[in-house]
PDB file of all heavy atoms in Angstrom:
ATOM      1  N   ARG A 211      94.858   6.516  84.697  1.00 95.00           N
ATOM      2  CA  ARG A 211      95.341   7.832  84.277  1.00 95.00           C
ATOM      3  C   ARG A 211      95.778   7.813  82.830  1.00 95.00           C
ATOM      4  O   ARG A 211      96.480   6.890  82.394  1.00 95.00           O
ATOM      5  CB  ARG A 211      96.531   8.230  85.167  1.00 95.00           C
ATOM      6  CG  ARG A 211      96.172   8.388  86.629  1.00 95.00           C
ATOM      7  CD  ARG A 211      97.413   8.623  87.464  1.00 95.00           C
ATOM      8  NE  ARG A 211      97.992   9.920  87.159  1.00 95.00           N
ATOM      9  CZ  ARG A 211      99.284  10.224  87.244  1.00 95.00           C
ATOM     10  NH1 ARG A 211     100.149   9.301  87.598  1.00 95.00           N
ATOM     11  NH2 ARG A 211      99.710  11.419  86.946  1.00 95.00           N
ATOM     12  N   ALA A 212      95.391   8.859  82.069  1.00 96.00           N
ATOM     13  CA  ALA A 212      95.780   8.991  80.662  1.00 96.00           C
ATOM     14  C   ALA A 212      96.516  10.306  80.456  1.00 96.00           C
ATOM     15  O   ALA A 212      96.124  11.334  81.020  1.00 96.00           O
ATOM     16  CB  ALA A 212      94.539   8.935  79.787  1.00 96.00           C
ATOM     17  N   LEU A 213      97.547  10.263  79.652  1.00 97.00           N
ATOM     18  CA  LEU A 213      98.352  11.434  79.309  1.00 97.00           C
ATOM     19  C   LEU A 213      98.362  11.571  77.811  1.00 97.00           C
ATOM     20  O   LEU A 213      98.768  10.624  77.116  1.00 97.00           O
ATOM     21  CB  LEU A 213      99.772  11.306  79.838  1.00 97.00           C
ATOM     22  CG  LEU A 213     100.763  12.401  79.499  1.00 97.00           C
ATOM     23  CD1 LEU A 213     100.359  13.703  80.202  1.00 97.00           C
ATOM     24  CD2 LEU A 213     102.180  11.992  79.905  1.00 97.00           C
ATOM     25  N   ASP A 214      97.924  12.720  77.267  1.00 98.00           N
ATOM     26  CA  ASP A 214      97.943  12.962  75.823  1.00 98.00           C
ATOM     27  C   ASP A 214      99.040  13.975  75.530  1.00 98.00           C
ATOM     28  O   ASP A 214      99.023  15.086  76.039  1.00 98.00           O
ATOM     29  CB  ASP A 214      96.584  13.460  75.354  1.00 98.00           C
ATOM     30  CG  ASP A 214      96.498  13.590  73.827  1.00 98.00           C
ATOM     31  OD1 ASP A 214      97.258  12.877  73.129  1.00 98.00           O
ATOM     32  OD2 ASP A 214      95.684  14.388  73.351  1.00 98.00           O
ATOM     33  N   LEU A 223      91.373  14.355  75.018  1.00 97.00           N
ATOM     34  CA  LEU A 223      91.242  14.255  76.476  1.00 97.00           C
ATOM     35  C   LEU A 223      89.765  14.298  76.882  1.00 97.00           C
ATOM     36  O   LEU A 223      89.373  13.588  77.811  1.00 97.00           O
ATOM     37  CB  LEU A 223      92.033  15.378  77.147  1.00 97.00           C
ATOM     38  CG  LEU A 223      93.546  15.267  77.074  1.00 97.00           C
ATOM     39  CD1 LEU A 223      94.204  16.519  77.655  1.00 97.00           C
ATOM     40  CD2 LEU A 223      94.045  14.014  77.775  1.00 97.00           C
ATOM     41  N   THR A 233      92.517  12.514  83.313  1.00 96.00           N
ATOM     42  CA  THR A 233      93.245  13.012  82.145  1.00 96.00           C
ATOM     43  C   THR A 233      94.236  14.117  82.483  1.00 96.00           C
ATOM     44  O   THR A 233      93.964  14.991  83.294  1.00 96.00           O
ATOM     45  CB  THR A 233      92.250  13.543  81.080  1.00 96.00           C
ATOM     46  OG1 THR A 233      91.400  14.518  81.711  1.00 96.00           O
ATOM     47  CG2 THR A 233      91.413  12.426  80.495  1.00 96.00           C
ATOM     48  N   GLU A 234      95.367  14.038  81.774  1.00 96.00           N
ATOM     49  CA  GLU A 234      96.357  15.103  81.780  1.00 96.00           C
ATOM     50  C   GLU A 234      96.890  15.226  80.356  1.00 96.00           C
ATOM     51  O   GLU A 234      96.796  14.274  79.570  1.00 96.00           O
ATOM     52  CB  GLU A 234      97.515  14.807  82.744  1.00 96.00           C
ATOM     53  CG  GLU A 234      97.067  14.743  84.210  1.00 96.00           C
ATOM     54  CD  GLU A 234      98.228  14.543  85.179  1.00 96.00           C
ATOM     55  OE1 GLU A 234      99.315  15.076  84.934  1.00 96.00           O
ATOM     56  OE2 GLU A 234      98.011  13.836  86.175  1.00 96.00           O
ATOM     57  N   GLY A 235      97.451  16.385  80.067  1.00 97.00           N
ATOM     58  CA  GLY A 235      98.005  16.580  78.731  1.00 97.00           C
ATOM     59  C   GLY A 235      99.285  17.382  78.775  1.00 97.00           C
ATOM     60  O   GLY A 235      99.620  17.999  79.807  1.00 97.00           O
ATOM     61  N   VAL A 251      94.256  18.739  83.497  1.00 95.00           N
ATOM     62  CA  VAL A 251      95.586  19.151  83.967  1.00 95.00           C
ATOM     63  C   VAL A 251      96.485  19.181  82.758  1.00 95.00           C
ATOM     64  O   VAL A 251      96.683  18.149  82.103  1.00 95.00           O
ATOM     65  CB  VAL A 251      96.104  18.180  85.026  1.00 95.00           C
ATOM     66  CG1 VAL A 251      97.531  18.538  85.432  1.00 95.00           C
ATOM     67  CG2 VAL A 251      95.181  18.115  86.241  1.00 95.00           C
ATOM     68  N   HIS A 253     100.287  20.349  81.116  1.00 96.00           N
ATOM     69  CA  HIS A 253     101.673  20.675  81.424  1.00 96.00           C
ATOM     70  C   HIS A 253     102.326  21.334  80.204  1.00 96.00           C
ATOM     71  O   HIS A 253     102.073  20.918  79.075  1.00 96.00           O
ATOM     72  CB  HIS A 253     102.463  19.393  81.756  1.00 96.00           C
ATOM     73  CG  HIS A 253     101.804  18.586  82.833  1.00 96.00           C
ATOM     74  ND1 HIS A 253     102.006  18.829  84.165  1.00 96.00           N
ATOM     75  CD2 HIS A 253     100.945  17.522  82.761  1.00 96.00           C
ATOM     76  CE1 HIS A 253     101.300  17.954  84.876  1.00 96.00           C
ATOM     77  NE2 HIS A 253     100.661  17.163  84.044  1.00 96.00           N
ATOM     78  N   VAL A 264     106.621  14.733  83.823  1.00 89.00           N
ATOM     79  CA  VAL A 264     105.313  15.197  84.244  1.00 89.00           C
ATOM     80  C   VAL A 264     105.162  14.953  85.727  1.00 89.00           C
ATOM     81  O   VAL A 264     104.572  15.736  86.437  1.00 89.00           O
ATOM     82  CB  VAL A 264     104.181  14.477  83.472  1.00 89.00           C
ATOM     83  CG1 VAL A 264     102.831  14.680  84.136  1.00 89.00           C
ATOM     84  CG2 VAL A 264     104.137  14.986  82.041  1.00 89.00           C
ATOM     85  N   PHE A 271     101.544   6.584  84.019  1.00 96.00           N
ATOM     86  CA  PHE A 271     100.226   6.637  83.386  1.00 96.00           C
ATOM     87  C   PHE A 271      99.881   5.266  82.823  1.00 96.00           C
ATOM     88  O   PHE A 271     100.732   4.541  82.300  1.00 96.00           O
ATOM     89  CB  PHE A 271     100.185   7.709  82.302  1.00 96.00           C
ATOM     90  CG  PHE A 271     100.267   9.095  82.842  1.00 96.00           C
ATOM     91  CD1 PHE A 271     101.512   9.669  83.125  1.00 96.00           C
ATOM     92  CD2 PHE A 271      99.124   9.823  83.098  1.00 96.00           C
ATOM     93  CE1 PHE A 271     101.575  10.958  83.645  1.00 96.00           C
ATOM     94  CE2 PHE A 271      99.176  11.100  83.627  1.00 96.00           C
ATOM     95  CZ  PHE A 271     100.425  11.674  83.904  1.00 96.00           C
TER      96      PHE A 271
END
Side-chain angles (χ1 to χ4, degrees):
R211 297 174 67 211
L213 177 67
D214 186 25
L223 290 174
T233 54
E234 296 184 35
V251 175
H253 308 275
V264 166
F271 291 85

